[in-house]
Amino acid sequence: MSVTEFGVLISNPEMSLTLQTPPSAALSAAIHRTRRSTFFPLSLRSTPPSTLHSNFHSSLPQIRASSSSIDTVSTTELDAVSAFSEIVPDTVIFDDFEKFPPTAATVSSSLLLGICGLPDTIFRNAVDMALADSECYGLENPNARLSCFVNKAFVNVGSDMAKLVPGRVSTEVDARLAYDTHAIIRKVHDLLKLYNDNNVPPQRLLFKIPSTWQGIEAARLLESEGIQTHLTFVYSFAQAAAAAQAGASVIQIFVGRLRDWARNHSDDPEIESVQLRGEDPGLALVTKAYNYIHKYGHKSKLMAAAVRNKQDLFSLLGVDYIIAPLKVLQSLKESVASPDEKYSFVRRLSPQSAAKYMFRDEELTKWDEDSFAKAMGPAAVQLLTAGLDGHADQAKRVENLLGKIWPPPNV
């Protein structure tokens, strides 16, 4: 999502891939259960079936709790936290379908590498069909042919995933295009056309775009066309606020990565001001972004990723989505929560608390490229660069791999 990245149904740099084909009976049962819930990688609570094919905004999970704490006599901690936020496992493998049935998916370069590395996966045929595609095969320019193969592979896998999950399929946009707004838009249009050819409606799709200024501008233009975007690699308030102003459907902030950076670096004014207040920089950024979105009426949904432990999760209750490691989710599932416990599972983030949050005048600017660049501190610049470099490297590896195995044996 990162939320996260699966033989498996999601693909994310912070997670391992396990892509073996699952037993058909177990998969069938898992898929049957996924029809009860909607949106992002994995939902841990059910949603009425009638919502599964509604429009994007109405299908987003709704916060169920109306009070500030859980008042049930006895429940699991997982049930308790799920009353406030949509809880998303940081990884899932087919063996985990029984515990955490997937409701949505992400297609990424790392996922394609995993699929190609394990030929017995249920998605391998989608890649082979891309390599055998007559439209791509007929292109004389080798680079154009390879790009066609990659696009087809992404969309074929994404289309197969759309048949397995009731929620949205998020498709990664090549990180090497991160600083070219028009190239991002062209890529999304190309992918969207291929999805349309595969009869996957745009309401089932998100396009995952890096939160450079050019990426945010691309998201603004795409959203104006009704194309849903998922902005990732957000490490600063400027990125989060600009993404919200652009109307991004989903904004993803990496809590743990900011904390890791702060432990080993200094001289970032945004982080230092948070630390002077005794707060964690990752948790503080999610809180501030949530308050900004809700106080000023932006449509974006906020996703907290790279959540490392229970304390992080408890501190973020109320945010739209929380991506948590399986070990944390398993602990929550196995722990009973009762009203007299030390932790009362209080909702930390809410539209009501957001209305009271005070922003400085300089934080309420209408962001443009110049103000955005000036507000990006060392942490955001370095973490964004590292994320782009990693994803660009994976994209190159996909191209190299497909170039080596093309044409497939049956062509």
Side-chain angles (χ1 to χ4, degrees):
M1 142 110 67
S2 318
V3 164
T4 341
E5 302 164 44
F6 6 7
V8 239
L9 290 180
I10 299 181
S11 155
N12 187 319
E14 295 210 339
M15 49 183 272
S16 60
L17 293 172
T18 303
L19 292 153
Q20 288 83 356
T21 304
S24 58
L27 178 59
S28 176
I31 293 171
H32 174 74
R33 283 193 302 277
T34 66
R35 294 177 182 149
R36 303 179 334 200
S37 53
T38 60
F39 199 63
F40 243 84
L42 303 167
S43 170
L44 301 183
R45 62 183 187 215
S46 61
T47 307
S50 61
T51 67
L52 295 185
H53 301 291
S54 58
N55 64 44
F56 176 83
H57 297 292
S58 63
S59 70
L60 287 167
Q62 302 298 310
I63 303 300
R64 297 184 305 179
S66 58
S67 60
S68 61
S69 62
I70 297 296
D71 57 4
T72 52
V73 174
S74 180
T75 184
T76 69
E77 289 183 344
L78 184 55
D79 290 333
V81 298
S82 295
F84 299 112
S85 298
E86 190 83 356
I87 308 300
V88 181
D90 189 36
T91 181
V92 66
I93 57 176
F94 286 134
D95 290 344
D96 291 316
F97 277 15
E98 291 295 324
K99 297 178 182 177
F100 306 114
T103 65
T106 297
V107 188
S108 70
S109 294
S110 61
L111 175 58
L112 289 186
L113 290 171
I115 292 171
C116 292
L118 294 169
D120 61 339
T121 72
I122 63 174
F123 300 112
R124 181 54 191 261
N125 186 61
V127 177
D128 289 342
M129 291 298 291
L131 292 173
D133 188 272
S134 59
E135 180 182 348
C136 301
Y137 189 88
L139 295 174
E140 294 184 3
N141 184 293
N143 292 331
R145 184 168 59 236
L146 184 57
S147 179
C148 183
F149 287 145
V150 172
N151 285 350
K152 292 274 187 176
F154 265 80
V155 170
N156 286 355
V157 171
S159 299
D160 281 355
M161 288 179 172
K163 298 173 185 176
L164 295 176
V165 299
R168 302 304 190 263
V169 175
S170 186
T171 304
E172 176 185 280
V173 174
D174 194 331
R176 293 170 294 182
L177 307 178
Y179 292 99
D180 188 333
T181 295
H182 296 295
I184 292 171
I185 293 173
R186 285 194 299 270
K187 174 65 73 173
V188 170
H189 284 164
D190 289 344
L191 294 171
L192 189 59
K193 181 182 181 301
L194 293 176
Y195 273 116
N196 182 65
D197 293 342
N198 285 358
N199 298 314
V200 181
Q203 295 83 359
R204 297 288 313 279
L205 301 170
L206 287 165
F207 293 93
K208 193 172 185 180
I209 299 170
S211 293
T212 58
W213 174 255
Q214 293 79 4
I216 292 170
E217 182 66 5
R220 182 183 69 80
L221 296 170
L222 290 167
E223 292 282 348
S224 72
E225 299 177 34
I227 299 172
Q228 309 293 342
T229 60
H230 169 186
L231 284 174
T232 188
F233 298 144
V234 174
Y235 299 106
S236 68
F237 177 71
Q239 288 175 289
Q245 290 180 5
S249 295
V250 176
I251 300 171
Q252 185 172 350
I253 295 175
F254 293 86
V255 174
R257 295 183 193 176
L258 268 171
R259 177 184 303 145
D260 294 342
W261 189 94
R263 285 171 176 167
N264 299 295
H265 303 82
S266 59
D267 300 325
D268 186 295
E270 185 173 340
I271 288 180
E272 288 181 349
S273 65
V274 169
Q275 291 177 318
L276 286 173
R277 299 195 302 267
E279 299 176 14
D280 176 86
L283 299 176
L285 179 57
V286 172
T287 299
K288 191 172 185 177
Y290 177 93
N291 290 336
Y292 179 82
I293 289 168
H294 285 271
K295 183 167 184 172
Y296 297 105
H298 297 290
K299 75 169 190 177
S300 304
K301 301 295 180 180
L302 191 61
M303 175 179 287
V307 170
R308 303 281 171 77
N309 52 57
K310 281 187 181 183
Q311 186 62 56
D312 285 348
L313 193 148
F314 294 150
S315 298
L316 294 171
L317 291 183
V319 73
D320 300 288
Y321 313 109
I322 300 176
I323 301 175
L326 284 180
K327 63 180 182 180
V328 171
L329 297 183
Q330 190 62 40
S331 176
L332 292 169
K333 188 176 181 179
E334 294 172 352
S335 302
V336 175
S338 56
D340 59 350
E341 284 192 59
K342 179 180 179 181
Y343 238 104
S344 58
F345 303 99
V346 173
R347 180 172 183 171
R348 307 291 171 153
L349 305 175
S350 70
Q352 293 74 26
S353 62
K356 301 175 183 177
Y357 192 93
M358 300 303 295
F359 289 89
R360 301 191 308 274
D361 290 342
E362 59 267 28
E363 294 173 332
L364 300 179
T365 183
K366 175 64 177 176
W367 294 95
D368 58 26
E369 186 170 4
D370 184 57
S371 60
F372 181 87
K374 290 178 180 177
M376 287 276 285
V381 170
Q382 293 174 25
L383 289 169
L384 174 61
T385 300
L388 292 175
D389 288 347
H391 278 234
D393 179 68
Q394 290 175 343
K396 291 176 186 176
R397 289 171 58 198
V398 167
E399 290 176 344
N400 291 337
L401 182 59
L402 295 187
K404 290 178 181 177
I405 63 178
W406 183 85
N410 60 336
V411 175

